[in-house]
Amino acid sequence: MLDRITSMQIFVKVVAAGSFTGAARLMALSPTMVTKHVTALETRLGVSLFQRSTRHLSLTEAGRLFLESCQRILADVENMEQTVSEQYREPRGQLRLNAPVSFAIRYVAPYLPEFSRRYPQVQIELGLNDRPVDLVEEGWDLTLRIRNLTVSTLRARKLAAVRMVICASPSYLAKAGTPTHVDELQHHNCLGYTLSGNNSASRWHFGDNGEKTVSVSGLLSANNGDALREASVAGAGIAYLPLFVVSQELQRGQLIALSLDYPTTPGPDLHAVYAPGTSIPLKVRAMIDYLAQCYGPIPPWETTA
């Protein structure tokens, strides 16, 4: 089996190099040895893999089919070896993790000490940004995003669902009244989140599929959920925010969740997003698995609401 794998590796190198001598240089073998491996493959398969001439080397139809299979099998072998090997290796090195500000403060930073206890060889750099970041250009290993993901070369894993809630302080409701229909929100001071993918500062969506849209206005909008939460707690108006931003305030009675005639529209899921590649670095995989454990099966912000 080892000889077959080696022969397949040499065959792929011959194709990549465009010649037997080129493959020999890449693999630090003699041209004679490269020829023996390819000849052994052709003998075993009973087909010619290359059309040979004095100046040109090209694949036959059988060679093209065999190349596709070799590439797939060799990738599987590499992944298998790495998976087994990683069971006996420890994550190490610097891990650059990026996350939204409000979420990171409450549901990332408090969990990192336990991760560091489990993996003391990993040094974490935590970056807080509400704007989308470019992993490749900015050099992040992993980012947490709460948004609908577009088609991308990046890879992602869902960590948790995010529920939205519309709420206000008892003092604001005592002064302005408690709305029971979404259309009544037009007459209230509504605090707008300017970076939301679902709700703009002037248009809020309701219903399971966002089928109901209401025009809203208010004296304050911001690009950070924490700022809107604090303003709402202080009685500034009604906020439409992810539950994780306001769960503790709801539990303490500083904010009250409103029951309207339309439900809030589900928020985008929380995803761990990382760069593409044949394998995930062990430090990145460890962090993703750890956070998935922290946020599931029931997210902690649901248990405190």
Side-chain angles (χ1 to χ4, degrees):
M1 187 63 185
L2 175 62
D3 187 60
R4 289 190 183 183
I5 294 295
T6 302
S7 296
M8 288 175 6
Q9 291 172 329
I10 290 173
F11 167 71
V12 171
K13 288 294 186 184
V14 170
V15 176
S19 69
F20 282 58
T21 54
R25 285 194 298 270
L26 290 173
M27 301 195 72
L29 296 173
S30 68
T32 300
M33 183 59 68
V34 170
T35 301
K36 284 184 178 180
H37 275 280
V38 173
T39 301
L41 284 175
E42 292 179 323
T43 300
R44 186 180 296 114
L45 295 170
V47 296
S48 295
L49 298 174
F50 292 103
Q51 293 176 339
R52 300 169 175 82
S53 68
T54 56
R55 295 185 178 181
H56 187 64
L57 189 69
S58 62
L59 286 170
T60 62
E61 180 64 26
R64 284 191 289 271
L65 292 174
F66 189 62
L67 175 64
E68 294 176 4
S69 297
C70 284
Q71 290 171 329
R72 183 174 63 253
I73 290 169
L74 292 174
D76 288 343
V77 169
E78 181 180 353
N79 288 335
M80 175 189 65
E81 290 177 342
Q82 179 172 344
T83 299
V84 173
S85 175
E86 285 180 349
Q87 300 302 314
Y88 301 93
R89 299 212 316 265
E90 184 178 8
R92 63 179 62 248
Q94 185 184 47
L95 174 66
R96 301 191 71 229
L97 169 64
N98 192 280
V101 177
S102 299
F103 186 81
I105 290 172
R106 289 196 170 185
Y107 295 105
V108 178
Y111 295 95
L112 294 183
E114 173 60 21
F115 180 88
S116 295
R117 188 190 68 78
R118 296 186 189 184
Y119 306 106
Q121 300 302 317
V122 178
Q123 298 83 44
I124 303 168
E125 178 186 342
L126 178 61
L128 278 60
N129 290 100
D130 284 334
R131 65 170 177 81
V133 298
D134 190 314
L135 270 76
V136 178
E137 290 293 326
E138 300 180 42
W140 297 104
D141 297 298
L142 176 67
T143 182
L144 303 183
R145 290 294 105 186
I146 304 170
R147 60 179 57 248
N148 296 316
L149 299 180
T150 57
V151 176
S152 170
T153 57
L154 298 173
R155 300 165 71 181
R157 174 177 168 183
K158 178 182 173 181
L159 296 179
V162 174
R163 185 159 60 96
M164 301 294 291
V165 64
I166 186 164
C167 56
S169 69
S171 63
Y172 175 83
L173 296 176
K175 177 182 63 177
T178 301
T180 57
H181 293 74
V182 294
D183 288 331
E184 295 176 50
L185 295 174
Q186 300 175 73
H187 309 298
H188 282 266
N189 193 44
C190 295
L191 310 179
Y193 180 52
T194 57
L195 293 182
S196 173
N198 286 352
N199 295 306
S200 68
S202 59
R203 294 174 68 85
W204 286 359
H205 301 281
F206 294 88
D208 291 336
N209 299 305
E211 62 270 18
K212 176 66 173 179
T213 302
V214 178
S215 296
V216 297
S217 61
L219 299 178
L220 173 67
S221 60
N223 63 355
N224 176 262
D226 288 336
L228 296 178
R229 178 193 65 229
E230 295 304 308
S232 185
V233 167
I238 296 175
Y240 193 173
L241 294 167
L243 176 60
F244 66 79
V245 177
V246 296
S247 59
Q248 296 174 20
E249 288 70 24
L250 290 170
Q251 185 181 40
R252 292 193 290 258
Q254 294 174 287
L255 291 173
I256 297 174
L258 303 181
S259 296
L260 303 173
D261 57 334
Y262 280 85
T264 57
T265 300
D269 293 330
L270 169 67
H271 289 88
V273 183
Y274 50 98
T278 56
S279 60
I280 309 173
L282 191 56
K283 61 184 179 181
V284 174
R285 182 181 299 174
M287 179 60 78
I288 294 174
D289 290 343
Y290 173 71
L291 292 177
Q293 183 183 48
C294 292
Y295 303 149
I298 300 175
W301 51 88
E302 292 283 353
T303 61
T304 57

